[in-house]
Amino acid sequence: MCKEFGTGNWPPALQEIIDEFSEIEDQMERLEILFDYSEEIDELPPAEWSESTIVHGCQSEAHIKVTFSQESGFHLIGAADAKLVQGLMAVTSIGLEGLSLEEVVNFSPDFASEMGLMNILSPSRANGFRNMLHKIQEDTKNLKE
Amino acid sequence: MIFDPYTCRKDFPILNRILPNGKPLVYLDNSATTQKPSCVIDAMSRYYLEYNSNVHRAVHTLSSEATNAYEGAREMIADWFGLTDGNLLFTSGTTEAINLVAHSWGRANLSKGDVIVLTEMEHHSDIVPWQMLAEETGVELRWVPFDKENFQLDMAAFEMSLEDAKLVCCIHTSNVLGIRNPVEEIISLAHNVGARVLIDAAQAAPHDRIGISELGADFVAVSAHKMSGPTGIGALFVNAETLTEMKPFLGGGDMIREVFLDHSTYQEGSFKFEAGTPKIAEAIGWAEAVKWLSNIGFESSHSHSIKLAQKVADAFRNIPGMTVLGRQDNDDAPLISFIHDSLHAADMAQMLDAHGIAIRTGHHCAQPLLRSLGLTSTNRASFYLYNTEEEADFLIETVQKLVERFS
Ligand SMILES: Cc1ncc(COP(=O)(O)O)c(C=O)c1O
């Protein structure tokens, strides 16, 4: 059965991160935690960065690769030269981990604003985040076909 | 007149702003645009509140007042920049000024076989219009490199590139390196071979009155918003002889003398290139900015902002892993580009913003320059007359702290 993930209904691991972020008042502290999350992604080594992995319309260089197996579900691999970007990517990967292809394609981007990130990231970065999720979802659609 | 940054700050209410994150604003993105003193904003609203009307067209009182203010502004701005002979054409800024040269002068005077000489340091606004012209007319673009250690233009390469040159385009002061190019020598060498010279003075105008007629360039482009004036206005200065070689660019009202159904005749001088209702409030605001600058002791403000930039540059050079672009003893313009080995420029800028510090990050509209240094982005802190030593110290401390924690 396909679940529609969005506000009020996030995967538990992502809900935990959203709660962690929403308890923080200080903008710098939020960035600090996001920076530390950059370690939490299955990193795509720079040698594998290519035209097919690049997220276009991102201020810094960001790359993603989507994988899926029947046993463990969806898994995101990725990296970025800017750590805050990679941190947001890592949080995204935690949210999407193990989901079905259908669930990934329909995943709502609203978790970033619930984490209080959209109003502290510059408009071009916020845009970069939307482009990243869009590419994840488009690549996932291609996996399905 | 003794310059005092603390007195001068009082004219900028925006500098007292507390940001939504609770931090006081520390504005260090002045090379992108400076803040505007209250008197500039007031002069513009006074025009709209008290004598808004179109210029050059009617006999009523308001129109005379507006025309006098607008043409008076032109005179004051020309005076400020030392224009004793030649014309000031109002444009929307440096970008439009350069595009105007490409359209009005370039298309009328250049063709296949001609050469335009440019430098690797140019801002995109002094690159793209020429690429567009080259595509259309087949003129050749020749690029002068600079030394990657001391950031000096390669003058030997410049001289060699002058063969068949009809136009030389050069950035006066680099918006990435803060370095002033030897524009006097460039102009003189170019004129020796009969080439016209365009100087992009967008980053010179905030710190230097330029002395345009004495400098002797054929075209000089500036923007008001980088020198306490409003956005949306700038100028192209053209010497009298070169102006006669320019064809009108935009057609319409104000630029004509007489219009018939089968042809039109044009105004003389700057008017020929200013079609339509001009930027009236903006011109008035810019003139007010120039007046304000004369009153606050502009000449001595430069050494103040340079001192701040040098202090920051020296401190940054002592941070392990930090590179500061530009010369160590640079006192041309108070801006510094810096980049850390392991803390990405975008992360640095985002974290400085969380401390209330506004700096610029990215390619600064000079991708060829950055690429030639093997970079894709840098951070840039740029100072202006209202910045204080406390702000410079706060930047230094914050960057030191961020590098310690995150690299
Ligand atoms: C050196 C230089 N040239 C040209 C420009 C373009 O100025 P404007 O955007 O006001 O047209 C800038 C401003 O960023 C600049 O720094």
Side-chain angles (χ1 to χ4, degrees):
Chain A
M1 234 226 34
C2 161
K3 277 207 202 124
E4 287 260 351
F5 289 105
T7 305
N9 179 38
W10 297 110
L14 181 60
Q15 186 61 54
E16 228 171 87
I17 300 175
I18 294 173
D19 293 343
E20 179 186 9
F21 271 85
S22 52
E23 275 162 27
I24 306 165
E25 291 285 321
D26 186 62
Q27 182 181 347
M28 187 58 211
E29 214 176 304
R30 262 192 216 141
L31 292 178
E32 218 167 322
I33 298 178
L34 190 61
F35 191 95
D36 292 341
Y37 265 107
S38 64
E39 313 254 308
E40 307 287 316
I41 191 163
D42 186 357
E43 236 178 286
L44 185 72
E48 290 178 39
W49 295 7
S50 72
E51 201 40 43
S52 71
T53 60
I54 195 163
V55 181
H56 287 289
C58 206
Q59 246 192 356
S60 44
E61 201 166 339
H63 292 265
I64 57 123
K65 199 167 143 185
V66 298
T67 65
F68 183 81
S69 71
Q70 287 305 336
E71 307 76 58
S72 46
F74 181 86
H75 179 65
L76 179 71
I77 309 171
D81 55 1
K83 288 285 184 285
L84 292 171
V85 174
Q86 189 168 312
L88 194 48
M89 197 184 268
V91 171
T92 310
S93 78
I94 292 168
L96 299 176
E97 183 67 25
L99 301 190
S100 73
L101 295 175
E102 196 73 34
E103 287 165 340
V104 172
V105 170
N106 294 313
F107 206 83
S108 159
D110 292 347
F111 64 94
S113 33
E114 282 188 42
M115 287 165 69
L117 290 177
M118 290 320 253
N119 53 352
I120 62 170
L121 294 181
S122 64
S124 54
R125 282 208 143 171
N127 214 11
F129 164 70
R130 285 186 213 100
N131 291 340
M132 175 183 70
L133 192 62
H134 183 72
K135 178 168 169 62
I136 293 173
Q137 293 175 323
E138 287 301 305
D139 288 3
T140 304
K141 277 186 205 158
N142 291 338
L143 274 188
K144 269 169 74 179
E145 280 151 18
Chain B
M1 176 93 211
I2 305 219
F3 173 75
D4 175 28
Y6 298 96
T7 310
C8 140
R9 276 178 87 79
K10 296 197 182 115
D11 293 335
F12 296 83
I14 197 172
L15 297 175
N16 297 324
R17 201 177 145 187
I18 304 295
L19 298 173
N21 64 10
K23 309 283 187 226
L25 169 69
V26 175
Y27 187 75
L28 300 176
D29 193 16
N30 294 290
S31 294
T33 197
T34 64
Q35 300 303 340
K36 329 298 174 200
S38 302
C39 62
V40 167
I41 301 162
D42 292 346
M44 294 174 75
S45 51
R46 213 175 313 119
Y47 160 71
Y48 282 123
L49 290 170
E50 293 173 16
Y51 60 103
N52 170 58
S53 57
N54 217 326
V55 293
H56 303 148
R57 294 181 189 181
V59 292
H60 58 75
T61 307
L62 258 52
S63 179
S64 308
E65 287 175 1
T67 303
N68 287 341
Y70 179 70
E71 289 307 326
R74 191 194 303 271
E75 258 173 57
M76 266 171 78
I77 296 159
D79 261 7
W80 172 262
F81 284 112
L83 186 81
T84 50
D85 132 55
N87 293 269
L88 184 172
L89 281 50
F90 280 127
T91 64
S92 69
T94 304
T95 304
E96 192 183 280
I98 297 172
N99 277 277
L100 175 62
V101 177
H103 279 273
S104 289
W105 186 85
R107 276 170 182 70
N109 294 279
L110 301 177
S111 54
K112 201 170 166 60
D114 292 336
V115 170
I116 303 176
V117 176
L118 309 103
T119 84
E120 266 184 5
M121 275 190 209
E122 298 314 302
H123 186 278
H124 293 168
S125 61
D126 201 23
I127 297 177
V128 184
W130 306 116
Q131 290 173 337
M132 289 160 69
L133 184 73
E135 218 168 272
E136 215 176 280
T137 61
V139 297
E140 181 192 339
L141 306 184
R142 254 181 224 158
W143 301 93
V144 179
F146 63 93
D147 186 299
K148 308 301 179 284
E149 297 291 318
N150 67 16
F151 306 101
Q152 306 272 27
L153 275 185
D154 182 341
M155 290 304 285
F158 174 69
E159 283 191 62
M160 300 243 297
S161 70
L162 283 174
E163 193 182 338
D164 296 323
K166 289 277 158 45
L167 177 67
V168 171
C169 300
C170 180
I171 190 165
H172 182 295
T173 300
S174 164
N175 61 316
V176 179
L177 306 168
I179 281 172
R180 180 192 199 280
N181 285 312
V183 283
E184 292 80 1
E185 193 186 345
I186 286 167
I187 293 165
S188 137
L189 290 168
H191 282 171
N192 285 346
V193 301
R196 297 280 183 217
V197 183
L198 179 150
I199 300 291
D200 169 356
Q203 293 298 341
H207 311 292
D208 184 345
R209 293 177 64 165
I210 305 179
I212 285 179
S213 291
E214 201 183 319
L215 184 66
D218 304 280
F219 306 102
V220 178
V222 298
S223 297
H225 69 92
K226 292 181 194 288
M227 50 178 292
S228 299
T231 55
I233 191 163
L236 177 70
F237 298 90
V238 190
N239 67 26
E241 188 192 334
T242 313
L243 195 80
T244 62
E245 302 170 356
M246 288 171 71
K247 292 256 180 335
F249 168 38
L250 296 174
D254 243 34
M255 54 80 74
I256 47 85
R257 180 170 294 148
E258 281 192 285
V259 175
F260 305 92
L261 287 182
D262 59 348
H263 78 287
S264 299
T265 58
Y266 306 130
Q267 294 257 34
E268 289 304 314
S270 5
F271 294 133
K272 189 162 145 186
F273 303 94
E274 295 175 357
T277 299
K279 298 161 258 289
I280 306 167
E282 288 76 7
I284 292 168
W286 191 6
E288 192 66 31
V290 157
K291 200 154 73 180
W292 181 83
L293 289 168
S294 340
N295 290 338
I296 53 124
F298 176 77
E299 265 70 22
S300 45
S301 75
H302 183 65
S303 60
H304 160 73
S305 35
I306 284 290
K307 205 175 74 196
L308 300 182
Q310 283 180 339
K311 181 173 190 186
V312 172
D314 288 345
F316 282 2
R317 284 196 169 89
N318 287 325
I319 297 177
M322 188 74 95
T323 304
V324 177
L325 302 181
R327 282 193 299 273
Q328 185 131 25
D329 57 350
N330 181 33
D331 59 4
D332 294 340
L335 68 93
I336 52 168
S337 279
F338 56 101
I339 179 95
H340 193 270
D341 282 354
S342 54
L343 182 51
H344 192 272
D347 290 339
M348 174 87 86
Q350 190 87 57
M351 291 179 181
L352 287 174
D353 179 60
H355 289 80
I357 303 174
I359 60 156
R360 175 76 187 271
T361 186
H363 53 57
H364 315 294
C365 299
Q367 283 182 328
L369 187 161
L370 258 67
R371 208 172 285 125
S372 77
L373 295 168
L375 298 168
T376 53
S377 70
T378 74
N379 291 123
R380 181 186 69 190
S382 50
F383 296 84
Y384 196 49
L385 32 80
Y386 43 58
N387 288 122
T388 64
E389 182 136 15
E390 288 80 2
E391 290 179 316
D393 289 339
F394 183 55
L395 173 68
I396 295 170
E397 268 165 44
T398 312
V399 167
Q400 281 169 339
K401 204 172 69 182
L402 292 177
V403 168
E404 264 168 44
R405 164 69 177 83
F406 295 103
S407 69

